[in-house]
Amino acid sequence: MNPTPPRERICMLTGGGYPYRRDALSGWCRTLVEGLRRFRFELLTVTDREPPPAPAYPLPLNVGSARAVAIPGAVASRAVIKNESRRERNERRRTEAELGQAAAGLLCRGLIREENDVGRAFADGLRRVAERPSMLLSLPLADALLEAWRTGDDLPRLSMRDARTAANLLRHALGAVTVEVPAADLVHCVGGTTPLLSALGGRWRQGVPLLLTEARAAVARHKPHEDRLSPAVRTVLRRFRGSVARTGYAEAGLIAPLSAYHHEWALRHGAPVDKMVAVPPGADPSEYPGVAELESDPAVVWAGSGGPDSGLSPLLAAFEQVVAAMPGTVLHLVGVTAAHEDYCAEQIERSGLGRAVRLHPLPAERGDRYTRAHVVAHVPGPADPPYRLVEAMMSGRAVVGVDVGPAAETLGDAGVLVQPGDPAELAIAVVDLLRAPARRRALAEAARARALTHFTNDRVVRIYGELYADLAAPPPPPSFELALAVPAPRSEPPVTLRWLVSERQDG
């Protein structure tokens, strides 16, 4: 017998993630989809790489569709004019050239100046591209960048070559705003700039509400593969990401940061405080049962992708000192993705640690990630949300964490925090816990108790169910009220605060 079909349709939009990639953020998305069976999900992931051929996760019955698409390029956009007559084509190109010049000017002035009034200009330019995707071909971005650059302050030199390079990169990135988003009652964007651009395009073309899960690192940080670019081009890309983020905050019905760290960062970048709903990540206690330590040589576990920006390098630098202090200690690297196994193996070989480091692909059972550890070293990359930290705490293992992002607020006093950029301090903290079993086990118990209290999946699912219902439900029927000299008291809070009141009462 088929279950009753859900009323509200949710388009979950990610950037190359769920259900096509197995990582921490994809696991978080999977928790929502499988936990909220009363909603129907349309899954869309947008990537600047070759789309994956098939989902990496089995799809539950409440998933109506799953699609992975690459950012459309200029060739794909030409298809919209191939059947027109020559006169119609020339007229169309003339019109789009004029519209494109105006849109490019708005975009570039907005991302260079980064002021509130100019920021609205950026959103206006972006919306024009979203509503007329074929315009992307005729955007004179290089000329617009050079013109806007003259009005900026404290900017590096922008040459014509830099402007053309930046224009090509911007044109490619803007292709995401032209992606067709499935029909839905709500778009839930999880990720960074690329999925947010697609979500904004869908919102403007279809008029659907937008829920934004804020889980990214600061947009001021450039990506590792951009090191070869000139300072001017990196400045353009950084400000473009910031402008997209601010536009997303302005358009979202609700913004759900993963932590106080993400909350404060979003506020600094223009997110309205009355739209913010902090929802920390969770883990399933049944999947991380908190088993006793193994009787083995001292062992440290680190969980991460293993990529160049994953925190692996400072970890290996610290572990060299751990092995020098405690020979025989083993470091287990779990969760390394297939794409980064070769890089990870190369880094291990360079470190000279040999068999002291064991490389494990992502275990099939989530609870296996931390069971081989006596101590978990949580050394995240700059962009890593705190999912792995919550899992380690739920597993009942003592954690030494690097104080990056939301680590301090997540771990609290249930672990040891060290400063970033100091492998020696990290090594000392790990060795101290390996040599102190009573303190190690006390911290492990405290970490699991804290995770059970504050970071469980059922809490995440419950709150997101309320947020979905608030934003995706059909609007209430129109009503008319008498104008009273003394306003009548409300018997119930506004609908968008239902979850908040219940949270306070539960606490």
Side-chain angles (χ1 to χ4, degrees):
M1 181 176 177
N2 292 330
T4 302
R7 290 183 300 171
E8 290 88 11
R9 297 166 301 167
I10 311 298
C11 172
M12 180 176 282
L13 211 164
T14 63
Y18 180 76
Y20 294 93
R21 185 172 65 196
R22 288 181 176 268
D23 57 18
L25 187 57
S26 295
W28 181 89
C29 294
R30 182 188 184 189
T31 295
L32 284 188
V33 172
E34 295 184 354
L36 292 170
R37 300 276 177 157
R38 68 185 186 273
F39 297 97
R40 177 183 177 87
F41 285 87
E42 313 296 336
L43 306 178
L44 174 63
T45 187
V46 184
T47 176
D48 57 1
R49 302 180 181 88
E50 184 71 21
Y57 291 101
L59 300 179
L61 294 177
N62 61 328
V63 171
S65 66
R67 187 163 58 103
V69 299
I71 296 177
V75 173
S77 299
R78 292 183 189 277
V80 300
I81 61 175
K82 67 178 182 180
N83 295 323
E84 294 178 335
S85 69
R86 179 176 296 178
R87 184 180 62 81
E88 290 172 332
R89 185 180 301 119
N90 289 338
E91 181 62 29
R92 181 189 184 98
R93 287 176 175 171
R94 188 179 304 112
T95 300
E96 288 185 348
E98 295 173 358
L99 295 174
Q101 184 175 6
L106 290 168
L107 284 167
C108 294
R109 286 199 304 273
L111 68 89
I112 295 303
R113 296 293 296 276
E114 294 186 308
E115 298 170 1
N116 289 336
D117 56 337
V118 185
R120 287 191 291 270
F122 176 88
D124 186 14
L126 187 62
R127 183 166 186 161
R128 295 185 188 194
V129 177
E131 292 176 343
R132 197 180 182 107
S134 58
M135 182 195 300
L136 189 58
L137 285 170
S138 54
L139 288 179
L141 290 168
D143 292 341
L145 276 173
L146 288 168
E147 181 65 29
W149 208 260
R150 299 188 184 100
T151 67
D153 298 322
D154 299 323
L155 295 174
R157 177 179 176 273
L158 179 73
S159 66
M160 176 58 75
R161 179 178 180 180
D162 288 338
R164 289 172 178 168
T165 299
N168 288 334
L169 293 172
L170 288 181
R171 195 183 313 278
H172 174 72
L174 287 168
V177 83
T178 70
V179 171
E180 287 299 321
V181 175
D185 300 299
L186 168 69
V187 172
H188 180 191
C189 178
V190 184
T193 303
T194 295
L196 181 53
L197 283 166
S198 298
L200 287 168
R203 166 158 174 73
W204 287 327
R205 290 189 296 269
Q206 301 175 14
V208 293
L210 172 62
L211 171 62
L212 176 58
T213 289
E214 187 56 272
R216 72 186 122 189
V219 294
R221 186 183 62 87
H222 70 271
K223 299 180 180 181
H225 66 269
E226 294 171 1
D227 286 337
R228 66 183 185 277
L229 300 174
S230 71
V233 176
R234 292 202 301 266
T235 298
V236 171
L237 296 179
R238 183 178 67 247
R239 295 195 177 194
F240 174 74
R241 294 182 192 118
S243 297
V244 173
R246 284 188 291 275
T247 304
Y249 296 149
E251 291 290 332
L254 288 172
I255 305 160
L258 285 175
S259 65
Y261 167 80
H262 293 95
H263 183 281
E264 292 301 319
W265 181 86
L267 286 178
R268 290 198 303 272
H269 288 77
V273 67
D274 58 347
K275 292 183 180 181
M276 307 284 278
V277 182
V279 189
D284 186 344
S286 66
E287 294 183 342
Y288 301 95
V291 298
E293 291 182 354
L294 298 176
E295 295 293 334
S296 65
D297 290 335
V300 179
V301 162
W302 172 83
S305 69
D309 205 24
S310 67
L312 177 63
S313 296
L315 172 75
L316 293 176
F319 192 67
E320 291 180 37
Q321 300 180 48
V322 172
V323 172
M326 295 187 66
T329 304
V330 175
L331 172 64
H332 297 277
L333 307 179
V334 302
V336 174
T337 61
H340 293 134
E341 281 189 44
D342 290 343
Y343 172 83
C344 207
E346 179 184 345
Q347 296 303 306
I348 294 170
E349 183 177 356
R350 285 186 179 180
S351 70
L353 292 167
R355 293 185 58 81
V357 181
R358 313 282 171 80
L359 182 60
H360 305 271
L362 192 66
E365 296 297 328
R366 301 182 188 182
D368 291 343
R369 290 174 182 164
Y370 307 97
T371 55
R372 54 177 60 90
H374 295 89
V375 172
V376 174
H378 179 68
V379 188
D384 290 346
Y387 306 114
R388 299 301 192 207
L389 178 55
V390 171
E391 292 174 357
M393 294 166 64
M394 189 69 76
S395 298
R397 289 296 184 265
V399 178
V400 175
V402 175
D403 191 3
V404 173
E409 64 182 276
T410 305
L411 190 57
D413 58 0
V416 179
L417 275 177
V418 300
Q419 293 303 306
D422 191 344
E425 185 181 0
L426 176 61
I428 291 170
V430 169
V431 170
D432 284 348
L433 284 184
L434 289 175
R435 288 174 171 170
R439 179 170 177 250
R440 183 174 72 236
R441 288 165 188 154
L443 285 175
E445 292 175 3
R448 179 164 171 81
R450 181 173 174 82
L452 288 170
T453 301
H454 300 289
F455 307 111
T456 57
N457 276 350
D458 59 351
R459 181 180 183 275
V460 176
V461 168
R462 177 170 57 85
I463 295 178
Y464 268 95
E466 295 285 353
L467 300 183
Y468 283 178
D470 284 348
L471 285 178
S479 61
F480 301 92
E481 297 181 3
L482 295 175
L484 302 177
V486 179
R490 286 184 177 270
S491 58
E492 294 183 359
V495 67
T496 52
L497 295 182
R498 290 181 316 196
W499 72 271
L500 184 59
V501 173
S502 64
E503 280 288 297
R504 288 171 178 169
Q505 290 173 349
D506 292 345

mmCIF file of all heavy atoms in Angstrom, residues 127-154:
data_model
loop_
_atom_site.group_PDB
_atom_site.id
_atom_site.type_symbol
_atom_site.label_atom_id
_atom_site.label_comp_id
_atom_site.label_asym_id
_atom_site.label_seq_id
_atom_site.Cartn_x
_atom_site.Cartn_y
_atom_site.Cartn_z
ATOM 1 N N ARG A 127 19.458 39.435 -11.250
ATOM 2 C CA ARG A 127 18.084 39.022 -11.555
ATOM 3 C C ARG A 127 17.788 39.172 -13.049
ATOM 4 O O ARG A 127 17.072 38.347 -13.639
ATOM 5 C CB ARG A 127 17.104 39.859 -10.733
ATOM 6 C CG ARG A 127 15.656 39.445 -10.936
ATOM 7 C CD ARG A 127 14.762 40.030 -9.876
ATOM 8 N NE ARG A 127 13.409 39.517 -9.987
ATOM 9 C CZ ARG A 127 12.502 39.554 -9.018
ATOM 10 N NH1 ARG A 127 12.818 40.105 -7.847
ATOM 11 N NH2 ARG A 127 11.301 39.075 -9.195
ATOM 12 N N ARG A 128 18.317 40.194 -13.674
ATOM 13 C CA ARG A 128 18.106 40.370 -15.112
ATOM 14 C C ARG A 128 18.680 39.197 -15.895
ATOM 15 O O ARG A 128 18.083 38.729 -16.868
ATOM 16 C CB ARG A 128 18.724 41.679 -15.588
ATOM 17 C CG ARG A 128 18.067 42.916 -14.989
ATOM 18 C CD ARG A 128 18.640 44.189 -15.588
ATOM 19 N NE ARG A 128 18.161 45.382 -14.885
ATOM 20 C CZ ARG A 128 18.278 46.616 -15.336
ATOM 21 N NH1 ARG A 128 18.872 46.832 -16.503
ATOM 22 N NH2 ARG A 128 17.826 47.645 -14.641
ATOM 23 N N VAL A 129 19.853 38.714 -15.494
ATOM 24 C CA VAL A 129 20.449 37.557 -16.160
ATOM 25 C C VAL A 129 19.607 36.316 -15.914
ATOM 26 O O VAL A 129 19.386 35.502 -16.819
ATOM 27 C CB VAL A 129 21.895 37.343 -15.679
ATOM 28 C CG1 VAL A 129 22.498 36.088 -16.307
ATOM 29 C CG2 VAL A 129 22.750 38.553 -16.011
ATOM 30 N N ALA A 130 19.111 36.140 -14.680
ATOM 31 C CA ALA A 130 18.307 34.967 -14.353
ATOM 32 C C ALA A 130 17.015 34.926 -15.158
ATOM 33 O O ALA A 130 16.572 33.853 -15.587
ATOM 34 C CB ALA A 130 17.991 34.964 -12.857
ATOM 35 N N GLU A 131 16.402 36.080 -15.355
ATOM 36 C CA GLU A 131 15.121 36.117 -16.045
ATOM 37 C C GLU A 131 15.274 36.084 -17.561
ATOM 38 O O GLU A 131 14.309 35.806 -18.278
ATOM 39 C CB GLU A 131 14.353 37.370 -15.621
ATOM 40 C CG GLU A 131 13.923 37.316 -14.148
ATOM 41 C CD GLU A 131 13.243 38.582 -13.682
ATOM 42 O OE1 GLU A 131 13.391 39.626 -14.385
ATOM 43 O OE2 GLU A 131 12.581 38.551 -12.629
ATOM 44 N N ARG A 132 16.473 36.344 -18.067
ATOM 45 C CA ARG A 132 16.738 36.263 -19.504
ATOM 46 C C ARG A 132 18.076 35.568 -19.712
ATOM 47 O O ARG A 132 19.099 36.192 -19.993
ATOM 48 C CB ARG A 132 16.742 37.670 -20.112
ATOM 49 C CG ARG A 132 16.601 37.686 -21.631
ATOM 50 C CD ARG A 132 16.608 39.119 -22.141
ATOM 51 N NE ARG A 132 16.437 39.161 -23.577
ATOM 52 C CZ ARG A 132 15.321 39.558 -24.192
ATOM 53 N NH1 ARG A 132 14.278 39.939 -23.473
ATOM 54 N NH2 ARG A 132 15.256 39.583 -25.508
ATOM 55 N N PRO A 133 18.114 34.228 -19.557
ATOM 56 C CA PRO A 133 19.397 33.497 -19.564
ATOM 57 C C PRO A 133 20.217 33.699 -20.824
ATOM 58 O O PRO A 133 21.451 33.675 -20.767
ATOM 59 C CB PRO A 133 18.951 32.032 -19.406
ATOM 60 C CG PRO A 133 17.628 32.106 -18.719
ATOM 61 C CD PRO A 133 16.982 33.336 -19.243
ATOM 62 N N SER A 134 19.557 33.873 -21.992
ATOM 63 C CA SER A 134 20.340 34.036 -23.219
ATOM 64 C C SER A 134 21.186 35.300 -23.195
ATOM 65 O O SER A 134 22.116 35.450 -24.001
ATOM 66 C CB SER A 134 19.405 34.055 -24.431
ATOM 67 O OG SER A 134 18.452 35.096 -24.312
ATOM 68 N N MET A 135 20.898 36.221 -22.277
ATOM 69 C CA MET A 135 21.684 37.445 -22.139
ATOM 70 C C MET A 135 23.126 37.162 -21.730
ATOM 71 O O MET A 135 24.033 37.974 -21.968
ATOM 72 C CB MET A 135 21.016 38.359 -21.098
ATOM 73 C CG MET A 135 21.689 39.693 -20.889
ATOM 74 S SD MET A 135 21.112 40.508 -19.381
ATOM 75 C CE MET A 135 19.365 40.674 -19.734
ATOM 76 N N LEU A 136 23.345 36.007 -21.144
ATOM 77 C CA LEU A 136 24.679 35.680 -20.637
ATOM 78 C C LEU A 136 25.739 35.761 -21.727
ATOM 79 O O LEU A 136 26.885 36.115 -21.476
ATOM 80 C CB LEU A 136 24.655 34.280 -20.017
ATOM 81 C CG LEU A 136 25.877 33.820 -19.240
ATOM 82 C CD1 LEU A 136 26.172 34.767 -18.088
ATOM 83 C CD2 LEU A 136 25.671 32.406 -18.716
ATOM 84 N N LEU A 137 25.331 35.456 -22.971
ATOM 85 C CA LEU A 137 26.285 35.498 -24.082
ATOM 86 C C LEU A 137 26.783 36.905 -24.368
ATOM 87 O O LEU A 137 27.902 37.097 -24.841
ATOM 88 C CB LEU A 137 25.628 34.931 -25.339
ATOM 89 C CG LEU A 137 25.457 33.415 -25.407
ATOM 90 C CD1 LEU A 137 24.570 33.060 -26.580
ATOM 91 C CD2 LEU A 137 26.805 32.744 -25.515
ATOM 92 N N SER A 138 25.939 37.891 -24.119
ATOM 93 C CA SER A 138 26.267 39.250 -24.560
ATOM 94 C C SER A 138 26.669 40.168 -23.417
ATOM 95 O O SER A 138 26.699 41.380 -23.591
ATOM 96 C CB SER A 138 25.058 39.846 -25.297
ATOM 97 O OG SER A 138 23.893 39.785 -24.497
ATOM 98 N N LEU A 139 26.990 39.615 -22.254
ATOM 99 C CA LEU A 139 27.409 40.463 -21.138
ATOM 100 C C LEU A 139 28.834 40.981 -21.374
ATOM 101 O O LEU A 139 29.779 40.189 -21.394
ATOM 102 C CB LEU A 139 27.379 39.687 -19.821
ATOM 103 C CG LEU A 139 26.021 39.348 -19.214
ATOM 104 C CD1 LEU A 139 26.214 38.550 -17.928
ATOM 105 C CD2 LEU A 139 25.217 40.603 -18.925
ATOM 106 N N PRO A 140 29.036 42.281 -21.526
ATOM 107 C CA PRO A 140 30.402 42.828 -21.714
ATOM 108 C C PRO A 140 31.091 42.992 -20.363
ATOM 109 O O PRO A 140 31.366 44.110 -19.906
ATOM 110 C CB PRO A 140 30.131 44.173 -22.390
ATOM 111 C CG PRO A 140 28.792 44.598 -21.861
ATOM 112 C CD PRO A 140 28.004 43.330 -21.633
ATOM 113 N N LEU A 141 31.392 41.882 -19.716
ATOM 114 C CA LEU A 141 31.870 41.921 -18.336
ATOM 115 C C LEU A 141 33.262 42.545 -18.222
ATOM 116 O O LEU A 141 33.554 43.231 -17.240
ATOM 117 C CB LEU A 141 31.866 40.511 -17.747
ATOM 118 C CG LEU A 141 30.475 39.923 -17.488
ATOM 119 C CD1 LEU A 141 30.570 38.433 -17.186
ATOM 120 C CD2 LEU A 141 29.812 40.648 -16.326
ATOM 121 N N ALA A 142 34.135 42.294 -19.194
ATOM 122 C CA ALA A 142 35.491 42.850 -19.099
ATOM 123 C C ALA A 142 35.459 44.381 -19.120
ATOM 124 O O ALA A 142 36.099 45.043 -18.281
ATOM 125 C CB ALA A 142 36.354 42.319 -20.244
ATOM 126 N N ASP A 143 34.701 44.948 -20.043
ATOM 127 C CA ASP A 143 34.603 46.414 -20.112
ATOM 128 C C ASP A 143 33.947 46.969 -18.856
ATOM 129 O O ASP A 143 34.372 48.005 -18.317
ATOM 130 C CB ASP A 143 33.794 46.819 -21.338
ATOM 131 C CG ASP A 143 34.513 46.520 -22.644
ATOM 132 O OD1 ASP A 143 35.751 46.351 -22.597
ATOM 133 O OD2 ASP A 143 33.852 46.438 -23.690
ATOM 134 N N ALA A 144 32.896 46.281 -18.375
ATOM 135 C CA ALA A 144 32.202 46.753 -17.175
ATOM 136 C C ALA A 144 33.101 46.687 -15.949
ATOM 137 O O ALA A 144 33.065 47.560 -15.076
ATOM 138 C CB ALA A 144 30.928 45.940 -16.947
ATOM 139 N N LEU A 145 33.948 45.646 -15.868
ATOM 140 C CA LEU A 145 34.881 45.547 -14.746
ATOM 141 C C LEU A 145 35.889 46.696 -14.764
ATOM 142 O O LEU A 145 36.171 47.304 -13.723
ATOM 143 C CB LEU A 145 35.614 44.208 -14.795
ATOM 144 C CG LEU A 145 34.922 42.999 -14.174
ATOM 145 C CD1 LEU A 145 35.715 41.736 -14.468
ATOM 146 C CD2 LEU A 145 34.762 43.186 -12.663
ATOM 147 N N LEU A 146 36.442 46.981 -15.934
ATOM 148 C CA LEU A 146 37.419 48.067 -16.034
ATOM 149 C C LEU A 146 36.795 49.406 -15.648
ATOM 150 O O LEU A 146 37.429 50.230 -14.965
ATOM 151 C CB LEU A 146 37.969 48.137 -17.459
ATOM 152 C CG LEU A 146 38.920 46.996 -17.860
ATOM 153 C CD1 LEU A 146 39.154 47.000 -19.361
ATOM 154 C CD2 LEU A 146 40.247 47.114 -17.110
ATOM 155 N N GLU A 147 35.548 49.619 -16.068
ATOM 156 C CA GLU A 147 34.873 50.873 -15.739
ATOM 157 C C GLU A 147 34.601 50.957 -14.237
ATOM 158 O O GLU A 147 34.831 51.997 -13.599
ATOM 159 C CB GLU A 147 33.562 50.958 -16.518
ATOM 160 C CG GLU A 147 32.761 52.228 -16.282
ATOM 161 C CD GLU A 147 33.481 53.469 -16.776
ATOM 162 O OE1 GLU A 147 34.278 53.352 -17.746
ATOM 163 O OE2 GLU A 147 33.252 54.555 -16.199
ATOM 164 N N ALA A 148 34.099 49.858 -13.638
ATOM 165 C CA ALA A 148 33.781 49.866 -12.208
ATOM 166 C C ALA A 148 35.046 49.955 -11.359
ATOM 167 O O ALA A 148 35.031 50.536 -10.265
ATOM 168 C CB ALA A 148 32.988 48.610 -11.842
ATOM 169 N N TRP A 149 36.131 49.390 -11.856
ATOM 170 C CA TRP A 149 37.393 49.358 -11.091
ATOM 171 C C TRP A 149 37.885 50.772 -10.773
ATOM 172 O O TRP A 149 38.499 51.005 -9.742
ATOM 173 C CB TRP A 149 38.446 48.594 -11.888
ATOM 174 C CG TRP A 149 39.495 47.931 -11.045
ATOM 175 C CD1 TRP A 149 40.751 48.389 -10.790
ATOM 176 C CD2 TRP A 149 39.380 46.682 -10.352
ATOM 177 N NE1 TRP A 149 41.430 47.508 -9.999
ATOM 178 C CE2 TRP A 149 40.613 46.448 -9.698
ATOM 179 C CE3 TRP A 149 38.372 45.743 -10.218
ATOM 180 C CZ2 TRP A 149 40.848 45.310 -8.930
ATOM 181 C CZ3 TRP A 149 38.594 44.611 -9.457
ATOM 182 C CH2 TRP A 149 39.820 44.410 -8.829
ATOM 183 N N ARG A 150 37.599 51.702 -11.682
ATOM 184 C CA ARG A 150 38.071 53.075 -11.497
ATOM 185 C C ARG A 150 37.388 53.753 -10.310
ATOM 186 O O ARG A 150 37.903 54.740 -9.778
ATOM 187 C CB ARG A 150 37.814 53.897 -12.763
ATOM 188 C CG ARG A 150 38.525 53.380 -14.006
ATOM 189 C CD ARG A 150 38.378 54.343 -15.177
ATOM 190 N NE ARG A 150 38.976 53.799 -16.390
ATOM 191 C CZ ARG A 150 38.277 53.213 -17.363
ATOM 192 N NH1 ARG A 150 36.962 53.146 -17.262
ATOM 193 N NH2 ARG A 150 38.884 52.743 -18.422
ATOM 194 N N THR A 151 36.235 53.255 -9.897
ATOM 195 C CA THR A 151 35.487 53.880 -8.804
ATOM 196 C C THR A 151 35.805 53.247 -7.458
ATOM 197 O O THR A 151 35.340 53.730 -6.426
ATOM 198 C CB THR A 151 33.974 53.771 -9.048
ATOM 199 O OG1 THR A 151 33.570 52.385 -8.975
ATOM 200 C CG2 THR A 151 33.610 54.301 -10.422
ATOM 201 N N GLY A 152 36.581 52.158 -7.450
ATOM 202 C CA GLY A 152 36.875 51.471 -6.194
ATOM 203 C C GLY A 152 38.063 52.068 -5.468
ATOM 204 O O GLY A 152 38.868 52.817 -6.034
ATOM 205 N N ASP A 153 38.181 51.712 -4.200
ATOM 206 C CA ASP A 153 39.276 52.190 -3.354
ATOM 207 C C ASP A 153 40.176 51.023 -2.954
ATOM 208 O O ASP A 153 39.700 49.911 -2.695
ATOM 209 C CB ASP A 153 38.731 52.859 -2.093
ATOM 210 C CG ASP A 153 37.876 54.078 -2.419
ATOM 211 O OD1 ASP A 153 38.233 54.801 -3.355
ATOM 212 O OD2 ASP A 153 36.849 54.282 -1.724
ATOM 213 N N ASP A 154 41.483 51.279 -2.873
ATOM 214 C CA ASP A 154 42.461 50.301 -2.386
ATOM 215 C C ASP A 154 42.376 48.977 -3.143
ATOM 216 O O ASP A 154 42.355 47.889 -2.552
ATOM 217 C CB ASP A 154 42.256 50.053 -0.879
ATOM 218 C CG ASP A 154 42.445 51.315 -0.075
ATOM 219 O OD1 ASP A 154 43.326 52.120 -0.428
ATOM 220 O OD2 ASP A 154 41.699 51.502 0.909
#
